[in-house]
Every structure is written in C-alpha cells, then in structure tokens.
C-alpha cells in the first residue's frame, strides 16, 4: 500500500473512529495520517477529521477519517457525523477494562446511525503497555468474531499495527465496493462514475467528479 | 476546559491568578459543559437566528445541505472560539471578547473557596461548580473598554433606553444588581445558580422573550436536541426565576426585532456569536460556489482550525455587531 497524492484518487471512503474518551483515537489517526504521536493531546471536541490517500492495487483510495469525541456529552454531535461512513474503527484501551465493557453500546450506536453494511474493526489500543493489560486478546477477538467484526491490537505510540488496521479496513471496504460494482454492471448498463442528481451514490463512490476510472 | 485556562496562564504567568480568573470565567461558562446541553442549545439557536437574519441566502443553502444545525460550530461555541485561532491570535481574540463583557467584580475581595482540586477529572468539575455555590465573584480577565470600547458604547446606550430590555450592569447599576442578586440568592436552586452569571449580565434578564423565542426556536429547529423538551420546565422550576423574570417593555418582541436583545444573545457573550457569524460569512462564497455538502462544510472549517485571519474576522464581527446594536437603539 503506497501513498498517492492528495488530489488524485479514485475512491473516497469515509471512516469513523469511535470509542470511549482517552483510548487513543486521535493518536491512532495522527499516527496513520501524519506519522505523529502526541503525549499530551487535548480532548477532541465534536468531530475532527484527517485524510490520507493510499493505493490499493491500482486504485487510489482517499480515506477520509473522522475522529470523534469519546465523551458522553458530545455524543449527539458525533453521532450526527456517522452518516455516510463505510468503515469504522471501534477503539478501546486494552489497559482499561471499562473502555472494553462498553464496546457493545458503541456498536449499537454506530448501527443506529450508519449503514448496516459498514465495515467495523474492533481495535485494542495501547498494546505497548504490556504490564497494564486488563483485556485479554482472546476475549476481545472472540467478541469480534461473534459480532462479525475485524479485530487487531495496536499501539499508536510505537506504531504497531496502526497501518495494518486502517489498511485492512480500507481493503475490506474496497472489496465490498468492487463486488457491488461488478454486480451493478452485470445487471445494469449504467456506466461507472455517472452518479446523477437525486441518485444516491454507492458507498465510496462519492460523486461523479471524484471518480476517474 | 484547559482550553480556557491556558490563555489565562499564558497571559498572567501566575498560577494563582490564572486559577481565580478561570473560576470567574467558569461561573459564566459552566452551563456550556452541563450534560443537559441546554446552554449549548440556546447558543446554537441564537447563532442560527443570527445567520438567518443576516444572510438568509446562505442559511437557506445550509438548510438544503442539511447543515443549518451548525453542529460543526460546536467547539466554537463551547470554547468561545479559543481553538479556532492560532494561540497568539486566540489570546488577542479572547481579550477583545472578554473585555466586551460587563464588569463583574467581587463584592469585597476575591474569596478563595472550595476544596483544592484533586486529580484532573474531578478537579475540572469542581472548579466550575464550587465557586457558584459559595458565591465567589472573581473578575474575568481583561477590564472593560480597551480595544472594544467602540462596540460596547452602543450597548451601554441600549441600557439607558426606558424599559429597553434591561440594563447592563455597568458601574452605576452595580449596587442594584448586587441587591437583586443578594435577595434572590437564598431561593435559588442549583440549576439557577449555574445560570447566575447570565442573570447578572442581563440584569432583569432571563426574561420571557428568551424563554418564548428560544423555546419555539429550539423545538422547531433543534428537534434532536436532548434538552429542548426540558428547557421550559428546567427554567420555570427555578423559584428565583419568577422574581427575576420581569417582562421587558418594547425590545425583544417588537416586530422588526427578530433577534434576542444584546443582554440575552449568546447568553452573556453576544460578541462571540458575531465572531462565529463573521467566520461563517468569510467562507460563504466558497461554500456555496463549490456546492459543499453537509460533511464537506464541516471538513472545510475543520481544515481552518488555527488559521483564521484574526484581523479580518474581528473587523467583520465588529461591523456586524454594530449593525445589530443599532437596531436596538
């Protein structure tokens, strides 16, 4: 997976980062999009976003990643921005069990506001803090399997699996979109990139002007 | 809330003084952080009203894009725009904004109160709430006048208008206000205390027009707001409210005046709303020209964090504010 240029892309995938406050969502994002980590990052308020364009095979995919506030009081604001997301990273802090215990509630909230076909990965962050682990890998992996989620453990601090986590989600979305496109071209003669006004563009296919296939 | 403390610490370079000022600011802004969301809902409603009033075309555009709830302005309103400017600019912006607020000096001296803050989490809460319970009244940073004197003057004139929507608590009326507050304090419930700063700033404020207009507005334009339904009851539940809610003659209900009066607009900080408005208008051309949608509008402004040109925004906000104040003369 290489980097493409910012303005030259074939797909835009909207991905949301959700989970309790303080689990490291903002640092996962900054590690992925800017290769940065901040020890004293401030609380996210409402939503912030960042993008990175990556190559999946020959397709340039622009990941538009929305970083949401984990604090309860911002929930009404953040959930308003789940709309249109085709991927989600549901992050917990594997050194704080209570951030894992509420994962199910986050999942419900996500499905309440986003499309049912959304690709979701459960992410246990802070894997560098091996001594402080409170959530066993197997338990989280089992939960993910039972709920049809992808699963990885990451460390935004030492970069472990950060790239892989986003890459896996994007690939999964890409596979879904490609399959959908094949189906639509088989059954229908609509040419690619011809989204018309009033017609809901397929996931990832943001709008005609963004498609250069 | 550290966003609000850091400029004070930077400007004062003294933890004790910064803490006192922070407590003073939180007396006014604690409701922003209240879980019921009431204060934020009112601010959203006021900003929507302002935008609709000043630029109906842009408002219509945003409505069609589904972005007229202005949710992307949440952080702006919560932190009085502190994060939207580069730090040095934020210092100046806050100084200008806060110096436009009516003076709110302590009765005799600044009382130190409350237990010391232990731990970041509980500390931030107690700093915001304990001062209210014990009646501390530290003065916000920045005195009256200065860079903002021009804009404040029309506001002062408004207060002299007979029955014109309540007086601003300038030095002359401070004694009356003090009495008003002292009389009403023992009867306040905790919620009313949270809103105490607003009461002071708007003198005979929290008036019916606010309740009426915001209630109607909130229920119509913020249907999803968790607090909208609880708004009237929570306000009316305050026993002190009755004694303070004096119907104002003239001002807010005049047909030509569709906006809340200065002492209500923005819940004690009207100019901050005009800064928000100025920022929105700075980008209305680009947003409409490029046909940005709901998400793109939010992203557009997110990209501008720390990059807004303060001079332009201040200039524009002042002009808009002056126009608005003129309409209340």
């Amino acid at each position: 997976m290489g980097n493409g240029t910012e303005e030259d892309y074939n797909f835009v995938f909207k991905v949301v980062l959700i989970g309790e406050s303080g689990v490291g969502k903002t640092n996962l994002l900054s590690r992925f999009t800017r290769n940065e980590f901040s020890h004293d990052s401030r609380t996210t308020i409402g939503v912030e976003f960042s993008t990175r364009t990556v190559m999946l095979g020959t397709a340039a995919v622009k990941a538009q990643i929305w970083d949401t506030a984990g604090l309860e009081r911002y929930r009404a604001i953040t959930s308003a921005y789940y709309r249109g997301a085709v991927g989600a990273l549901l992050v917990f802090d594997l050194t704080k069990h209570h951030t894992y215990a509420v994962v199910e509630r986050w999942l419900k909230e996500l499905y309440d506001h986003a499309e049912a076909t959304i690709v979701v990965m459960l992410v246990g962050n802070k894997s560098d803090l091996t001594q402080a682990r409170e959530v066993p890998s197997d338990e989280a992996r089992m939960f993910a399997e039972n709920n049809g989620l992808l699963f990885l453990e990451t460390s935004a601090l030492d970069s472990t699996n950060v790239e892989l986590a986003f890459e896996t989600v994007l690939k999964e979305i890409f596979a879904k979109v490609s399959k959908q496109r094949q189906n639509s071209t088989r059954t229908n003669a609509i040419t690619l990139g011809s989204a018309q006004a009033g017609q809901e563009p397929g996931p990832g296919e943001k709008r005609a002007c963004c498609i250069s296939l | 809330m550290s966003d609000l403390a850091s400029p004070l610490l930077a400007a004062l370079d003294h933890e004790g003084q910064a803490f006192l000022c922070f407590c003073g600011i939180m007396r006014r802004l604690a409701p922003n952080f209240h879980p019921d969301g009431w204060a934020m809902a009112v601010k959203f409603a006021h900003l929507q009203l302002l935008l609709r009033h000043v630029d109906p075309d842009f408002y219509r555009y945003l409505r069609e894009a589904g972005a007229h709830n202005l949710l992307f302005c949440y952080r702006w309103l919560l932190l009085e725009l502190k994060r939207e400017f580069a730090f040095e600019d934020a210092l100046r912006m806050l100084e200008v904004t806060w110096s436009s607020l009516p003076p709110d000096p302590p009765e005799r001296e600044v009382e130190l109160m409350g237990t010391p803050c232990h731990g970041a989490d509980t500390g931030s809460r107690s700093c915001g709430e304990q001062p209210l319970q014990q009646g501390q009244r530290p003065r916000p940073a920045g005195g009256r006048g200065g860079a903002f004197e021009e804009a404040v003057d029309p506001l002062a004139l408004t207060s002299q208008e007979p029955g014109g929507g309540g007086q601003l608590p300038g030095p002359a009326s401070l004694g009356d206000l003090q009495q008003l507050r002292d009389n009403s304090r023992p009867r306040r419930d905790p919620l009313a205390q949270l809103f105490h700063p607003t009461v002071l700033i708007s003198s005979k404020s929290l008036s019916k027009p606010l309740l009426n207009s915001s209630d109607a507005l909130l229920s119509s334009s913020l249907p999803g707001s968790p607090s909208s339904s609880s708004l009237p009851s929570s306000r009316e539940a305050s026993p002190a409210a009755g004694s303070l809610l004096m119907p104002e003659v003239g001002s807010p209900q005049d047909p030509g005046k569709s906006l809340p009066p200065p002492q209500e607009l923005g819940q004690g900080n009207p100019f901050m709303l005009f800064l928000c408005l100025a920022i929105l208008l700075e980008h209305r051309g680009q947003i409409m020209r490029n046909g940005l949608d709901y998400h793109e509008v939010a992203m557009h402004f997110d990209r501008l964090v720390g990059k807004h040109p303060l001079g332009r925004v201040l200039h524009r906000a002042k002009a808009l504010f002056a126009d608005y104040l003129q309409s209340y003369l």
Side-chain angles (χ1 to χ4, degrees), chain A residues 6-49:
Chain A
E6 253 315 278
E7 293 311 320
D8 184 20
Y9 51 85
N10 311 114
F11 293 93
V12 178
F13 293 159
K14 178 179 173 180
V15 175
V16 289
L17 276 164
I18 60 172
E20 288 293 286
S21 180
V23 299
K25 299 182 290 297
T26 301
N27 271 318
L28 278 173
L29 181 57
S30 66
R31 177 62 79 194
F32 178 63
T33 58
R34 300 191 303 275
N35 199 21
E36 287 173 7
F37 180 91
S38 165
H39 283 277
D40 52 358
S41 59
R42 52 196 182 180
T43 313
T44 304
I45 295 173
V47 290
E48 295 169 9
F49 91 106

Side-chain angles (χ1 to χ4, degrees), chain A residues 70-134:
Chain A
L71 284 173
E72 178 73 34
R73 69 167 76 102
Y74 305 130
R75 207 60 54 80
I77 306 290
T78 53
S79 60
Y81 286 97
Y82 292 173
R83 197 170 77 195
V86 290
L89 276 75
L90 202 180
V91 188
F92 67 92
D93 176 350
L94 54 76
T95 70
K96 292 198 173 68
H97 193 273
H98 69 91
T99 65
Y100 172 73
V102 292
V103 154
E104 206 154 358
R105 213 178 66 206
W106 279 103
L107 209 53
K108 182 183 179 310
E109 178 150 307
L110 181 66
Y111 289 134
D112 281 350
H113 293 90
E115 281 101 54
T117 55
I118 187 169
V119 173
V120 186
M121 174 180 275
L122 183 65
V123 176
N125 192 34
K126 310 196 186 180
S127 64
D128 53 288
L129 299 172
T130 46
Q131 300 300 312
R133 176 189 284 273
E134 287 184 6

Side-chain angles (χ1 to χ4, degrees), chain A residues 7 12 14 41-51 62 64-66 71-85 206-207 209-210, chain B residues 1-3 32-35 44 65-66 69-75 78-79 82-83 125 224 226 290-296 298-300 302-303 305:
Chain A
E7 293 311 320
V12 178
K14 178 179 173 180
S41 59
R42 52 196 182 180
T43 313
T44 304
I45 295 173
V47 290
E48 295 169 9
F49 91 106
S50 215
T51 61
K62 183 173 180 171
Q64 184 189 94
I65 304 158
W66 293 69
L71 284 173
E72 178 73 34
R73 69 167 76 102
Y74 305 130
R75 207 60 54 80
I77 306 290
T78 53
S79 60
Y81 286 97
Y82 292 173
R83 197 170 77 195
K206 191 155 171 285
R207 45 169 70 175
C209 68
C210 298
Chain B
M1 279 168 258
S2 57
D3 285 272
N32 276 8
F33 299 89
H34 199 275
F44 271 116
N69 54 24
L70 305 179
L71 285 184
F72 57 89
C73 301
Y74 188 84
R75 191 181 52 225
L78 187 81
L79 302 176
K82 188 266 171 182
R83 275 200 203 174
R125 246 195 312 279
N290 295 324
L292 301 191
D293 68 18
Y294 177 75
H295 290 111
E296 289 165 332
M299 287 192 286
H300 178 81
D302 193 67
R303 274 190 211 101
V305 170

Side-chain angles (χ1 to χ4, degrees), chain B residues 9-328:
Chain B
L9 194 55
L12 296 166
D13 199 21
H14 185 285
E15 285 194 13
Q17 289 176 5
F19 173 68
L20 289 181
C21 292
F22 175 71
C23 288
I25 286 166
M26 288 310 291
R27 290 184 67 247
R28 186 170 60 79
L29 291 183
N32 276 8
F33 299 89
H34 199 275
D36 72 2
W38 186 88
M40 289 300 292
V42 172
K43 282 173 188 174
F44 271 116
H46 285 182
L47 185 56
Q48 284 176 296
L49 269 180
L50 259 187
L51 182 62
R52 192 171 65 184
H53 181 81
V54 171
D55 193 340
D57 288 343
F58 186 33
Y59 182 81
R60 199 174 307 119
Y61 174 87
L62 290 177
R63 194 177 58 201
E64 280 161 17
H68 64 300
N69 54 24
L70 305 179
L71 285 184
F72 57 89
C73 301
Y74 188 84
R75 191 181 52 225
W76 307 10
L77 298 175
L78 187 81
L79 302 176
E80 306 214 310
L81 290 162
K82 188 266 171 182
R83 275 200 203 174
E84 310 316 308
F85 293 93
F87 190 73
E88 289 301 315
D89 283 348
L91 289 183
R92 186 172 159 227
M93 181 275 298
L94 289 174
E95 185 171 22
V96 170
T97 308
W98 289 346
S99 65
S100 77
L101 304 179
D104 186 19
E107 293 165 40
R108 291 186 195 88
E109 59 186 38
V110 178
E111 289 174 55
L112 277 181
M113 50 6 158
T115 50
C117 301
H118 295 296
D121 202 17
T122 53
S124 59
R125 246 195 312 279
S126 61
C127 287
E129 290 170 8
Q130 290 186 2
L132 300 177
Q133 291 160 0
Q134 303 192 19
Q136 185 203 13
R137 305 171 38 68
R139 184 178 184 149
R144 184 174 188 178
F148 204 64
E149 203 131 32
E150 284 176 357
V152 174
D153 278 343
L155 203 58
L157 283 175
T158 314
S159 72
Q160 289 157 17
E161 186 180 316
Q167 291 185 325
L168 286 162
S173 61
L174 210 56
D176 298 341
L177 278 166
Q178 202 58 65
Q179 203 179 354
L180 187 70
R181 202 198 57 196
D182 291 343
N183 290 343
S184 57
R185 181 186 287 154
R187 300 169 55 198
R188 285 233 172 82
D189 63 13
L191 182 66
Q193 289 201 0
L194 274 180
F195 288 96
H196 192 185
T198 321
V199 175
L200 275 177
I201 282 162
S202 51
S203 183
K204 307 166 188 173
S205 71
L206 300 185
S207 57
K208 278 183 176 159
L210 170 65
L211 289 178
N212 294 343
S213 59
S214 59
D215 186 21
L217 186 73
L218 286 169
S219 54
S220 65
S221 59
L222 292 170
S225 165
S227 59
S228 58
S229 59
S230 66
L231 167 61
S233 59
S234 64
R235 301 312 293 250
E236 281 155 14
S238 156
S243 64
L244 287 169
L245 298 190
M246 301 174 200
E248 307 299 343
V249 183
S251 58
Q253 296 291 14
D254 282 357
K257 294 176 179 171
S258 54
L259 296 173
Q263 60 275 22
E264 289 171 4
L265 191 68
Q267 291 189 313
N269 189 354
F271 186 64
M272 189 268 298
L273 285 189
F274 285 88
L275 284 170
C276 294
L277 182 63
I279 291 174
L280 289 171
L281 296 181
E282 284 282 313
H283 297 274
R284 64 98 74 180
Q286 208 180 338
I287 288 169
M288 291 175 73
R289 202 167 43 246
N290 295 324
L292 301 191
D293 68 18
Y294 177 75
H295 290 111
E296 289 165 332
V297 170
M299 287 192 286
H300 178 81
F301 285 109
D302 193 67
R303 274 190 211 101
L304 295 164
V305 170
K307 295 180 190 144
H308 294 288
L310 180 63
R312 279 174 64 114
V313 171
L314 271 180
H315 192 74
R316 187 165 199 154
K318 278 185 187 178
L320 289 161
F321 193 34
D323 286 347
Y324 160 77
L325 291 171
Q326 283 295 326
S327 71
Y328 274 91

